[in-house]
Amino acid sequence: MRSNLLLSSFALATNAASFNPLHHLAGIAPTWKPHNPPLDTKPPAGCNATKAAYLVRHAAIYGNDFDYDTYIEPFVEKLAQSAQDWTAADSLSFLADWTPPNEEAHMEEITRVGTNEAITLGVEVQERYADLKPPAKVWASSADRTVRSADGFITGFTNNHREEIDLETVPEEENTGANSLTPYKACPAYSSSYGSDQSITQTYQKVYTRPIIERLRKLAPSFNFTRTDIVAMFELCGYETVIRGDSPFCSLDLFTPAEWLSFEYGNDLMYFHNTGYGRPLSPRLGYPWVRAVTDALADGSSAQDLYVSFTHREVPPVIATALGLYNNSDFSGANNPNLTMPSDRINYHRAWKSSEILPFLTHIAIEKMECGAEGYHDGDYYRVLVNSSPQPLTECRDGPGESCSAGEFLRFVDERGAQFGDFGVACGDLDAPGNLTLYE
Ligand SMILES: *[C@@H]1O[C@H](CO)[C@@H](O)[C@H](O)[C@H]1NC(C)=O
Ligand SMILES: *[C@@H]1O[C@H](CO)[C@@H](O)[C@H](O)[C@H]1NC(C)=O
Ligand SMILES: *[C@@H]1O[C@H](CO)[C@@H](O)[C@H](O)[C@H]1NC(C)=O
Ligand SMILES: *[C@@H]1O[C@H](CO)[C@@H](O)[C@H](O)[C@H]1NC(C)=O
Ligand SMILES: *[C@@H]1O[C@H](CO)[C@@H](O)[C@H](O)[C@H]1NC(C)=O
């Protein structure tokens, strides 16, 4: 009897300890390394990295306009006006003396935590490619948060000798077509509201917040919790953590693991239909970067060994679709993307997890390697890394460590181009520049 009790409390403790809400916050997740699948992140035995191209989302910010206006501000204002006595409200009692982080004054700016993480990424990338020629240039789309993230990266990479690398800012405009780091902004067919509409995100939000609302209304009857309040509290866990270092909203006493997973799935649905497989436009927006860096890496006389560019959260997921990564339909023999993401319940075994694809400072890289590996032909191989973890291409794994031989990789990129290289047509703007020429 006694040992059973001990066992079950041990199981409870390890369960709680192994669940980290910060790994389920989608676009508000502090930078992390999911390492899924857990393949070795170093080049396989017998291989050396000879070139690489990185596309990085900016580091952590205080808040974005949409999240703040839709969820956080209404919640924080309601809280300030509420007569609810929180002191006896159990898991909500921290609200008696909680003060909101000052998001409004710093909207869209990167936080100190974010700056620090951008510097660390610079250190990590320098260490990983210490044998390569350091880059002469790093690129950033022109928003303050992307430029500052690139700046932090350069500081870390050069150990504070910033003058060693030029930071080239790339305008975020509507008339540049595919020739920028923000192709979605120059694509008339793209809308930032895809996926956040009534029929998808709100439908699922209503499903998962209903029991939470009931529970919290019992604890705090005069606050009248609503759907958007609940979403605000999940989001505050992420934003407060990247502003202050931690947040009482991340407590597992407040929301259970199942509830955190619901919040994550709600976001995954939104991104799936906004910049993922739920929208045929997505790979068309991601393809120009894949084409441009493949050309740069394949070119023996390219100007740089390392190409690093900073942009916004829309871009890593569209590049993932252009490369066929995180495709829920893989190996199913069918292609009905929407069926893989129902909006009334969670598909727990989906490949499409935005917390892994687009957390703050997420980075997607194509790495070229020279290999003399046992059991393989000597030569060049390519692989894709997301947040340092290899993501084997479904269509090409003939190399060491699930990498792809150069000939097959170039063929693969050409084939993707034949399917998805129609930026102008897909965007409804036939005059738009269809290629990214930044790295030429
Ligand atoms: C609670 O909030 C809902 C949704 O905003 C509103 O319709 C309702 O009138 C509110 N109830 C009270 C008692 O304030
Ligand atoms: C996703 O996978 C399905 C099944 O293999 C495939 O038919 C479809 O083309 C893939 N989607 C993309 C954008 O690669
Ligand atoms: C998938 O869902 C999106 C968003 O509702 C819709 O626009 C699209 O037509 C759907 N695709 C298919 C093949 O039904
Ligand atoms: C990798 O680099 C090391 C050190 O520069 C060198 O000794 C080795 O021959 C290289 N291997 C390949 C396959 O290029
Ligand atoms: C883009 O480059 C490809 C060659 O890589 C070329 O065939 C195509 O015409 C170019 N498209 C545009 C719109 O310039």
Side-chain angles (χ1 to χ4, degrees):
M1 191 64 193
R2 194 166 165 205
S3 68
N4 268 347
L5 262 176
L6 273 174
L7 262 180
S8 61
S9 64
F10 177 74
L12 264 175
T14 49
N15 247 336
S18 66
F19 187 88
N20 185 349
L22 298 178
H23 295 169
H24 302 281
L25 291 178
I28 313 167
T31 186
W32 70 297
K33 295 194 163 61
H35 206 201
N36 176 25
L39 292 163
D40 195 353
T41 68
K42 293 198 290 290
C47 298
N48 285 339
T50 53
K51 288 186 187 188
Y54 277 67
L55 196 286
V56 191
R57 181 192 177 201
H58 61 74
I61 54 172
Y62 283 84
N64 86 18
D65 293 331
F66 178 80
D67 289 342
Y68 191 75
D69 295 347
T70 314
Y71 302 112
I72 295 174
E73 186 180 35
F75 171 69
V76 162
E77 285 188 350
K78 188 167 155 189
L79 203 56
Q81 280 153 23
S82 171
Q84 174 66 43
D85 171 14
W86 298 104
T87 50
D90 196 33
S91 62
L92 292 165
S93 57
F94 72 92
L95 287 173
D97 40 37
W98 180 78
T99 53
N102 191 1
E103 287 189 76
E104 197 169 12
H106 300 282
M107 202 48 59
E108 308 280 4
E109 286 175 27
I110 64 172
T111 66
R112 289 174 181 79
V113 169
T115 300
N116 205 15
E117 289 169 346
I119 294 171
T120 300
L121 179 65
V123 172
E124 287 172 1
V125 172
Q126 193 282 332
E127 285 171 352
R128 186 177 182 95
Y129 302 106
D131 294 336
L132 303 190
K133 193 165 59 183
K137 253 190 217 175
V138 159
W139 290 263
S141 73
S142 54
D144 182 73
R145 57 195 182 283
T146 42
V147 171
R148 283 180 193 267
S149 302
D151 217 58
F153 175 90
I154 293 173
T155 298
F157 192 99
T158 62
N159 193 22
N160 214 17
H161 292 281
R162 295 203 60 275
E163 71 285 357
E164 291 172 5
I165 298 180
D166 281 339
L167 171 49
E168 183 169 319
T169 56
V170 183
E172 300 182 5
E173 280 167 8
E174 286 177 6
N175 60 0
T176 46
N179 197 19
S180 77
L181 294 171
T182 46
Y184 60 99
K185 293 197 177 187
C187 176
Y190 172 79
S191 161
S192 62
S193 66
Y194 286 153
S196 55
D197 62 9
Q198 189 69 26
S199 62
I200 303 165
T201 307
Q202 288 195 28
T203 302
Y204 182 64
Q205 274 180 2
K206 282 175 189 148
V207 172
Y208 82 81
T209 58
R210 191 188 42 76
I212 302 176
I213 291 170
E214 251 176 63
R215 183 176 80 237
L216 298 189
R217 279 187 180 168
K218 281 200 187 108
L219 291 177
S222 46
F223 190 70
N224 190 23
F225 277 99
T226 62
R227 173 178 62 84
T228 58
D229 295 329
I230 306 301
V231 176
M233 292 164 81
F234 282 114
E235 292 198 340
L236 275 164
C237 162
Y239 284 121
E240 193 178 12
T241 298
V242 298
I243 296 170
R244 290 177 166 154
D246 57 23
S247 168
F249 289 100
C250 302
S251 169
L252 292 179
D253 294 333
L254 183 57
F255 298 121
T256 64
E259 291 164 351
W260 287 104
L261 295 174
S262 306
F263 170 75
E264 178 180 41
Y265 188 69
N267 278 275
D268 289 359
L269 269 173
M270 191 266 279
Y271 287 113
F272 189 77
H273 292 284
N274 188 284
T275 45
Y277 291 92
R279 197 155 292 277
L281 184 60
S282 304
R284 274 101 185 161
L285 294 175
Y287 184 74
W289 184 84
V290 172
R291 176 81 263 166
V293 299
T294 300
D295 291 346
L297 300 184
D299 177 1
S301 61
S302 64
Q304 306 200 160
D305 286 348
L306 265 179
Y307 293 86
V308 183
S309 306
F310 287 80
T311 181
H312 299 276
R313 71 184 149 156
E314 288 81 357
V315 186
V318 295
I319 289 173
T321 64
L323 290 165
L325 302 174
Y326 305 103
N327 185 345
N328 294 337
S329 306
D330 260 356
F331 306 108
S332 71
N335 187 28
N336 194 334
N338 290 355
L339 279 187
T340 69
M341 295 291 282
S343 56
D344 60 346
R345 74 203 105 141
I346 301 182
N347 170 6
Y348 285 104
H349 295 290
R350 68 197 179 281
W352 184 262
K353 287 200 175 140
S354 54
S355 305
E356 298 188 7
I357 302 168
L358 53 88
F360 288 127
L361 210 65
T362 194
H363 39 95
I364 186 158
I366 299 182
E367 198 172 57
K368 185 183 185 184
M369 305 183 294
E370 193 178 285
C371 299
E374 219 171 307
Y376 298 91
H377 293 296
D378 290 0
D380 290 335
Y381 291 84
Y382 289 81
R383 60 181 187 162
V384 179
L385 305 167
V386 179
N387 296 314
S388 338
S389 293
Q391 294 298 334
L393 298 169
T394 310
E395 301 303 331
C396 182
R397 306 180 171 172
D398 60 342
E402 301 282 78
S403 63
C404 173
S405 61
E408 288 301 316
F409 184 73
L410 300 182
R411 212 177 347 266
F412 165 75
V413 172
D414 284 347
E415 276 167 16
R416 300 300 279 183
Q419 283 183 77
F420 306 123
D422 54 348
F423 182 93
V425 176
C427 288
D429 179 2
L430 294 175
D431 298 328
N435 290 325
L436 176 58
T437 58
L438 225 49
Y439 310 120
E440 286 172 8

